[in-house]
Amino acid sequence: MKRIAVLTSGGDAPGMNAAIRAVVRTGVHYGMEVYGVSLGYEGLINGKIALLGTREVGGIIQRGGTILGSARSLEFKTEAGQRKAIRNLNQMGIDGLVVIGGNGSQAGSHALSKQGFPVVGVASTIDNDLFGSDITIGVDTALNIALEAIDRLKTTASSHQRAFLVEVMGRDCGYLTLMAGIAGGAEYVVIPEVDVDPEEIAARLAKSYDRGKEHAIVVVAEGAKYNASKLDEYFQTHRERLGFDLRMTILGHVQRGGNPGAFDRILASKLGAAAVETLRRGEHGVLVGQIRNEIKTTSLDIVASTKKPLDLNLVELARILD
Ligand code: F6P
């Protein structure tokens, strides 16, 4: 393999730049030409593909976001769009593609692979909902950003003896919320995987106050049936009866925008380099991820058809430690 391309797709994640850098520098190390595709699959369809040298990826390891840009492409979901993308790659003599992204992006890799183009995916999403990697690029940094917010909210919550709802991203996966709840010492976590009754939360918070706590933090996943806005509405409606003052904070995209920490920079460097090694040894149609602390490949067929399980024992832990 002499000429490869790399793209970032879907929601950006801190560490994507470190992965791009690793792909480019590993490729160059092995005498390959490495091309960068702008704006994900959209750029692949529109031929936005340019040669990247080691200098072009200098000074980016510490930067959040992605220098290549990212997009969610509707056209690429069609077979016509996928054929257009493959035509562009073939015309440029590119014989391998690295796709850095999460579930939607790796569904795209899977589609390209099924059409016969050699693709290797790199596991990257703050949601940590991608099968084939215990932890994905961006999770650790996003989690630390959520924690910083929770720690700050606890301070002001204690001063005012208030309860706070903090909404954390993660689409329909509760991983980030659960981990932020445990690491942030939250009084309650609300995740999509576990049904919850607002009255139970209220009773729990009342008990916390009875135990002499000065604050109560409820960490809520954006994908939960009762997300922060719905819980806020419920608690405001029943405020008199429930008897505590409540505020809501939605972290939203703040969580995605940070500079990657050491963990994500290292993970991204390992996975980016491994993606190139994988293509080089002629293996493709796979996702490169970290499983039990080792870099492993998993078939995109399996990745696309398997839901990553969430360890629900940790919900119990969060309850015990509240
Ligand atoms: O998949 C990453 C993610 O940040 C999710 O946590 C969130 O639900 C979604 O992307 C937001 O998407 P967008 O950036 O397109 O609003």
Side-chain angles (χ1 to χ4, degrees):
M1 205 160 272
K2 278 276 149 223
R3 203 174 270 182
I4 63 170
V6 56
L7 64 80
T8 48
S9 160
D12 64 349
M16 276 184 160
N17 280 327
I20 296 167
R21 174 180 177 271
V23 170
V24 172
R25 293 201 171 165
T26 308
V28 169
H29 172 77
Y30 288 121
M32 297 173 174
E33 277 181 7
V34 186
Y35 286 77
V37 182
S38 298
L39 298 178
Y41 290 119
E42 204 64 26
L44 205 52
I45 291 171
N46 298 322
K48 291 194 170 156
I49 306 171
L51 188 63
L52 287 175
T54 53
R55 279 296 87 222
E56 273 82 39
V57 293
I60 65 167
I61 195 167
Q62 74 279 21
R63 280 166 52 190
T66 158
I67 58 158
L68 292 175
S70 190
R72 301 192 194 273
S73 170
L74 285 180
E75 193 181 353
F76 188 75
K77 290 193 170 151
T78 66
E79 270 195 29
Q82 291 157 16
R83 277 199 299 274
K84 219 159 143 189
I86 293 180
R87 211 163 41 238
N88 285 337
L89 288 164
N90 287 338
Q91 267 169 10
M92 294 189 70
I94 292 168
D95 39 21
L97 177 68
V98 176
V99 173
I100 303 168
N103 261 323
S105 312
Q106 303 310 339
S109 310
H110 188 222
L112 282 181
S113 175
K114 278 201 296 189
Q115 299 224 20
F117 197 86
V119 190
V120 169
V122 168
S124 173
T125 164
I126 64 161
D127 301 337
N128 208 23
D129 59 349
L130 183 62
F131 190 82
S133 197
D134 293 343
I135 189 141
T136 49
I137 296 168
V139 172
D140 185 67
T141 306
L143 192 50
N144 277 301
I145 293 170
L147 273 185
E148 198 183 326
I150 291 170
D151 291 347
R152 288 180 186 201
L153 289 171
K154 253 189 185 174
T155 307
T156 173
S158 299
S159 308
H160 291 268
Q161 306 229 313
R162 272 178 182 151
F164 268 83
L165 295 170
V166 189
E167 187 174 284
V168 173
M169 268 191 168
R171 206 176 289 278
D172 51 7
C173 172
Y175 180 90
L176 273 182
T177 299
L178 184 53
M179 296 304 155
I182 292 172
E187 274 59 43
Y188 209 96
V189 291
V190 182
I191 57 175
E193 292 83 351
V194 179
D195 281 341
V196 65
D197 176 355
E199 285 294 324
E200 187 198 322
I201 303 174
R204 196 90 180 181
L205 297 190
K207 229 166 152 188
S208 295
Y209 284 116
D210 290 348
R211 273 157 49 202
K213 285 205 179 193
E214 292 182 322
H215 61 256
I217 304 282
V218 182
V219 189
V220 188
E222 63 170 352
K225 180 176 159 210
Y226 281 100
N227 62 13
S229 307
K230 286 196 185 126
L231 280 178
D232 184 51
E233 199 185 312
Y234 187 92
F235 288 134
Q236 299 302 347
T237 310
H238 300 276
R239 194 172 176 279
E240 296 281 297
R241 179 169 60 86
L242 299 175
F244 50 78
D245 200 13
L246 188 104
R247 296 287 187 277
M248 168 177 69
T249 299
I250 297 180
L251 295 183
H253 291 79
V254 165
Q255 253 184 275
R256 277 204 338 224
N259 292 340
F263 182 88
D264 280 322
R265 294 185 202 191
I266 293 166
L267 178 66
S269 299
K270 284 184 185 172
L271 296 187
V276 177
E277 305 269 7
T278 303
L279 280 172
R280 201 166 160 260
R281 65 173 178 264
E283 187 185 350
H284 49 79
V286 293
L287 176 84
V288 176
Q290 179 165 293
I291 302 174
R292 284 182 221 97
N293 265 329
E294 281 181 45
I295 305 302
K296 297 267 188 204
T297 57
T298 306
S299 153
L300 285 170
D301 288 333
I302 295 174
V303 171
S305 58
T306 316
K307 194 171 160 55
K308 186 175 188 172
L310 183 67
D311 182 357
L312 292 180
N313 289 325
L314 293 172
V315 177
E316 189 51 28
L317 180 66
R319 292 210 171 141
I320 292 170
L321 300 182
D322 75 341

